[in-house]
Coordinates of all heavy atoms in Angstrom, one line a residue:
P18 N 33.5 -9.7 8.5 CA 34.6 -9.7 9.5 C 34.8 -8.4 10.2 O 34.6 -7.4 9.6 CB 35.8 -10.1 8.7 CG 35.5 -9.5 7.3 CD 34.0 -9.6 7.1
A19 N 35.1 -8.5 11.5 CA 35.5 -7.4 12.3 C 36.6 -7.8 13.2 O 36.9 -9.0 13.3 CB 34.3 -7.0 13.2
A20 N 37.3 -6.9 13.8 CA 38.5 -7.2 14.6 C 38.0 -8.2 15.7 O 38.6 -9.2 16.0 CB 39.1 -6.0 15.2
V21 N 36.9 -7.8 16.4 CA 36.5 -8.6 17.5 C 35.0 -8.7 17.4 O 34.3 -7.9 16.9 CB 36.8 -7.8 18.9 CG1 36.2 -8.5 20.1 CG2 38.3 -7.7 19.0
A22 N 34.4 -9.8 17.9 CA 33.0 -10.0 18.0 C 32.6 -10.5 19.4 O 33.5 -10.9 20.2 CB 32.5 -11.1 17.0
W23 N 31.4 -10.3 19.8 CA 30.9 -10.8 21.1 C 29.7 -11.7 20.9 O 28.8 -11.4 20.0 CB 30.5 -9.7 22.0 CG 31.6 -8.9 22.6 CD1 32.3 -7.8 22.1 CD2 32.3 -9.1 23.9 NE1 33.3 -7.4 22.9 CE2 33.3 -8.2 24.1 CE3 32.1 -10.0 25.0 CZ2 34.1 -8.1 25.2 CZ3 32.9 -10.0 26.1 CH2 33.9 -9.0 26.2
I24 N 29.6 -12.7 21.7 CA 28.5 -13.7 21.7 C 27.9 -13.6 23.1 O 28.6 -13.5 24.1 CB 28.9 -15.1 21.4 CG1 29.3 -15.2 19.9 CG2 27.9 -16.1 21.8 CD1 30.0 -16.5 19.5
R25 N 26.5 -13.6 23.2 CA 25.9 -13.6 24.6 C 25.1 -14.9 24.8 O 24.4 -15.3 24.0 CB 25.0 -12.4 24.7 CG 24.4 -12.3 26.1 CD 23.3 -11.3 26.2 NE 23.8 -9.9 26.4 CZ 23.3 -8.9 25.8 NH1 22.2 -9.0 25.0 NH2 23.8 -7.7 26.0
L26 N 25.3 -15.4 26.0 CA 24.5 -16.5 26.5 C 23.6 -16.0 27.6 O 24.1 -15.3 28.5 CB 25.4 -17.6 27.1 CG 26.2 -18.6 26.1 CD1 27.3 -19.2 26.9 CD2 25.2 -19.7 25.6
S27 N 22.4 -16.4 27.7 CA 21.5 -16.0 28.8 C 20.5 -17.1 29.1 O 20.0 -17.7 28.2 CB 20.8 -14.7 28.5 OG 20.0 -14.4 29.5
G28 N 20.4 -17.4 30.4 CA 19.4 -18.4 30.8 C 20.0 -19.2 32.0 O 21.1 -19.0 32.4
P29 N 19.2 -20.1 32.5 CA 19.6 -20.8 33.8 C 20.9 -21.6 33.6 O 21.7 -21.7 34.6 CB 18.4 -21.7 34.1 CG 17.6 -21.7 32.9 CD 17.8 -20.5 32.1
D30 N 21.2 -22.0 32.4 CA 22.4 -22.8 32.2 C 23.6 -22.1 31.5 O 24.5 -22.7 31.0 CB 22.1 -24.1 31.4 CG 21.1 -25.0 32.1 OD1 21.1 -25.0 33.3 OD2 20.2 -25.5 31.4
A31 N 23.5 -20.8 31.5 CA 24.5 -20.0 30.8 C 25.9 -20.3 31.2 O 26.8 -20.5 30.4 CB 24.2 -18.5 30.9
W32 N 26.1 -20.4 32.5 CA 27.5 -20.6 33.0 C 27.9 -22.0 32.6 O 29.1 -22.3 32.3 CB 27.6 -20.3 34.5 CG 27.5 -18.8 34.8 CD1 27.2 -17.9 33.9 CD2 27.7 -18.2 36.1 NE1 27.1 -16.6 34.6 CE2 27.5 -16.8 35.9 CE3 28.1 -18.7 37.3 CZ2 27.6 -15.9 36.9 CZ3 28.2 -17.7 38.4 CH2 28.0 -16.4 38.2
T33 N 27.0 -23.0 32.7 CA 27.3 -24.3 32.4 C 27.7 -24.5 30.9 O 28.7 -25.1 30.5 CB 26.1 -25.3 32.7 OG1 25.7 -25.0 34.0 CG2 26.5 -26.7 32.5
V34 N 26.9 -23.8 30.0 CA 27.2 -23.9 28.6 C 28.6 -23.2 28.4 O 29.4 -23.8 27.6 CB 26.1 -23.1 27.8 CG1 26.5 -23.1 26.3 CG2 24.8 -23.9 27.9
A35 N 28.8 -22.1 29.0 CA 30.1 -21.4 28.8 C 31.3 -22.3 29.3 O 32.3 -22.3 28.6 CB 30.1 -20.1 29.6
S36 N 31.1 -23.0 30.4 CA 32.1 -23.9 30.9 C 32.5 -25.0 29.9 O 33.6 -25.5 29.9 CB 31.8 -24.5 32.2 OG 30.8 -25.4 32.1
N37 N 31.5 -25.3 29.0 CA 31.7 -26.3 28.0 C 32.5 -25.8 26.8 O 33.1 -26.6 26.1 CB 30.4 -26.9 27.5 CG 29.9 -28.0 28.5 OD1 30.6 -28.9 28.8 ND2 28.7 -27.8 29.0
V38 N 32.3 -24.5 26.5 CA 32.9 -24.0 25.3 C 34.2 -23.2 25.6 O 35.0 -22.9 24.7 CB 32.0 -23.1 24.4 CG1 30.7 -24.0 24.1 CG2 31.6 -21.9 25.2
F39 N 34.4 -22.8 26.8 CA 35.5 -21.9 27.2 C 36.4 -22.8 28.1 O 36.0 -23.1 29.2 CB 35.0 -20.7 27.9 CG 36.0 -19.7 28.3 CD1 36.7 -18.9 27.4 CD2 36.3 -19.5 29.7 CE1 37.7 -18.0 27.7 CE2 37.3 -18.5 30.0 CZ 37.9 -17.8 29.1
K40 N 37.6 -23.1 27.6 CA 38.4 -24.1 28.3 C 38.9 -23.6 29.6 O 39.3 -24.4 30.5 CB 39.6 -24.5 27.4 CG 39.1 -25.3 26.2 CD 40.3 -25.7 25.4 CE 40.0 -26.6 24.2 NZ 41.2 -26.7 23.3
S41 N 39.1 -22.3 29.8 CA 39.6 -21.7 31.0 C 38.6 -21.4 32.1 O 38.8 -20.6 33.0 CB 40.5 -20.5 30.7 OG 41.3 -20.7 29.6
W42 N 37.4 -21.9 31.9 CA 36.3 -21.6 32.9 C 36.7 -22.2 34.2 O 37.1 -23.4 34.3 CB 35.0 -22.2 32.4 CG 33.8 -21.8 33.2 CD1 33.2 -22.4 34.3 CD2 33.0 -20.6 33.0 NE1 32.1 -21.6 34.7 CE2 32.0 -20.5 33.9 CE3 33.1 -19.5 32.0 CZ2 31.1 -19.5 34.0 CZ3 32.2 -18.5 32.1 CH2 31.2 -18.5 33.1
P43 N 36.7 -21.5 35.3 CA 37.2 -22.0 36.6 C 36.4 -23.2 37.1 O 35.2 -23.3 36.9 CB 37.1 -20.8 37.5 CG 36.2 -19.9 36.9 CD 36.1 -20.1 35.5
E44 N 37.1 -24.0 37.9 CA 36.4 -25.2 38.5 C 35.5 -24.8 39.6 O 34.4 -25.2 39.7 CB 37.5 -26.1 39.1 CG 38.4 -26.8 38.1 CD 37.6 -28.0 37.4 OE1 36.7 -28.6 38.0 OE2 37.9 -28.2 36.2
G45 N 36.0 -23.8 40.4 CA 35.2 -23.4 41.6 C 34.3 -22.3 41.4 O 33.6 -22.2 40.4
D46 N 34.3 -21.3 42.3 CA 33.3 -20.2 42.2 C 33.7 -19.3 41.1 O 34.8 -19.0 40.8 CB 33.4 -19.4 43.5 CG 32.8 -20.1 44.7 OD1 32.1 -21.1 44.4 OD2 33.0 -19.7 45.8
V47 N 32.6 -18.8 40.5 CA 32.8 -17.8 39.4 C 32.3 -16.4 39.9 O 31.2 -16.4 40.6 CB 31.9 -18.2 38.2 CG1 31.9 -17.1 37.1 CG2 32.4 -19.5 37.6
E48 N 33.0 -15.4 39.6 CA 32.7 -14.1 40.1 C 32.0 -13.3 39.0 O 32.5 -13.2 37.9 CB 33.9 -13.4 40.5 CG 33.7 -12.3 41.6 CD 35.0 -11.6 42.0 OE1 36.0 -12.3 42.1 OE2 35.0 -10.4 42.1
S49 N 30.8 -12.7 39.4 CA 30.1 -11.9 38.4 C 30.9 -10.6 38.0 O 31.6 -10.1 38.9 CB 28.8 -11.4 39.0 OG 28.0 -10.7 38.0
H50 N 30.9 -10.2 36.8 CA 31.6 -9.0 36.3 C 33.1 -9.1 36.3 O 33.8 -8.1 36.1 CB 31.1 -7.8 37.1 CG 29.7 -7.4 36.8 ND1 28.6 -8.2 37.1 CD2 29.2 -6.2 36.3 CE1 27.5 -7.5 36.8 NE2 27.9 -6.4 36.3
R51 N 33.7 -10.3 36.5 CA 35.1 -10.4 36.4 C 35.5 -11.2 35.2 O 35.1 -12.4 35.0 CB 35.7 -11.0 37.7 CG 37.3 -11.1 37.6 CD 37.8 -11.7 38.9 NE 37.7 -10.8 40.0 CZ 38.6 -9.9 40.3 NH1 39.7 -9.7 39.5 NH2 38.4 -9.1 41.3
A52 N 36.2 -10.5 34.2 CA 36.5 -11.2 33.0 C 37.6 -12.2 33.1 O 38.5 -12.1 34.0 CB 37.0 -10.1 32.0
L53 N 37.5 -13.3 32.3 CA 38.5 -14.4 32.4 C 39.1 -14.5 30.9 O 38.3 -14.3 30.0 CB 37.8 -15.7 32.7 CG 36.9 -15.8 33.9 CD1 35.9 -16.8 33.8 CD2 37.8 -16.1 35.1
F54 N 40.4 -14.7 30.8 CA 40.9 -14.8 29.5 C 41.3 -16.3 29.3 O 41.8 -17.0 30.2 CB 42.2 -14.0 29.4 CG 42.8 -14.1 28.0 CD1 42.3 -13.4 26.9 CD2 43.9 -14.9 27.8 CE1 42.9 -13.5 25.7 CE2 44.5 -15.1 26.5 CZ 43.9 -14.3 25.5
G55 N 41.0 -16.8 28.0 CA 41.4 -18.2 27.8 C 41.0 -18.6 26.4 O 40.7 -17.8 25.5
K56 N 41.1 -19.9 26.1 CA 40.8 -20.5 24.8 C 39.4 -21.1 24.7 O 38.9 -21.6 25.7 CB 41.8 -21.6 24.6 CG 43.1 -21.2 23.9 CD 43.8 -22.4 23.4 CE 45.0 -22.2 22.5 NZ 45.6 -20.9 22.4
Y57 N 38.9 -21.0 23.5 CA 37.6 -21.7 23.2 C 37.8 -23.0 22.6 O 38.9 -23.3 22.0 CB 36.7 -20.8 22.3 CG 36.4 -19.5 22.9 CD1 36.9 -18.3 22.4 CD2 35.4 -19.4 23.9 CE1 36.6 -17.1 23.0 CE2 35.1 -18.2 24.5 CZ 35.7 -17.0 24.0 OH 35.3 -15.8 24.6
V58 N 36.7 -23.8 22.5 CA 36.8 -25.1 21.9 C 37.1 -25.1 20.4 O 37.6 -26.0 19.8 CB 35.6 -26.0 22.1 CG1 35.5 -26.5 23.6 CG2 34.3 -25.2 21.8
N59 N 36.8 -23.9 19.8 CA 37.1 -23.8 18.3 C 38.5 -23.4 18.0 O 38.9 -23.1 16.9 CB 36.1 -22.9 17.6 CG 36.2 -21.5 18.0 OD1 37.0 -21.1 18.9 ND2 35.5 -20.6 17.4
G60 N 39.3 -23.2 19.1 CA 40.7 -22.8 18.9 C 41.0 -21.4 19.0 O 42.1 -20.9 19.2
D61 N 39.9 -20.5 18.9 CA 40.1 -19.1 19.1 C 40.3 -18.8 20.6 O 40.1 -19.7 21.4 CB 38.9 -18.4 18.5 CG 39.1 -16.9 18.2 OD1 40.3 -16.4 18.5 OD2 38.3 -16.3 17.6
E62 N 40.6 -17.5 20.9 CA 40.7 -17.1 22.3 C 40.1 -15.8 22.5 O 39.9 -15.0 21.6 CB 42.2 -17.1 22.7 CG 43.0 -16.2 21.9 CD 44.5 -16.3 22.1 OE1 44.9 -17.3 22.8 OE2 45.3 -15.5 21.7
G63 N 39.8 -15.5 23.8 CA 39.2 -14.2 24.1 C 38.8 -14.1 25.6 O 39.3 -14.9 26.4
L64 N 37.9 -13.2 25.9 CA 37.4 -13.0 27.2 C 36.0 -13.6 27.5 O 35.2 -13.4 26.6 CB 37.4 -11.5 27.5 CG 38.6 -10.7 27.5 CD1 38.3 -9.2 27.6 CD2 39.6 -11.1 28.6

Side-chain angles (χ1 to χ4, degrees):
V21 173
W23 285 87
I24 287 171
R25 181 192 281 140
L26 281 160
S27 179
D30 301 323
W32 290 8
T33 310
V34 174
S36 70
N37 279 305
V38 302
F39 183 70
K40 291 180 178 172
S41 316
W42 194 265
E44 291 287 329
D46 287 348
V47 174
E48 202 179 324
S49 183
H50 289 64
R51 182 178 288 274
L53 307 154
F54 180 77
K56 270 198 172 5
Y57 296 109
V58 285
N59 69 355
D61 202 352
E62 60 190 9
L64 295 173

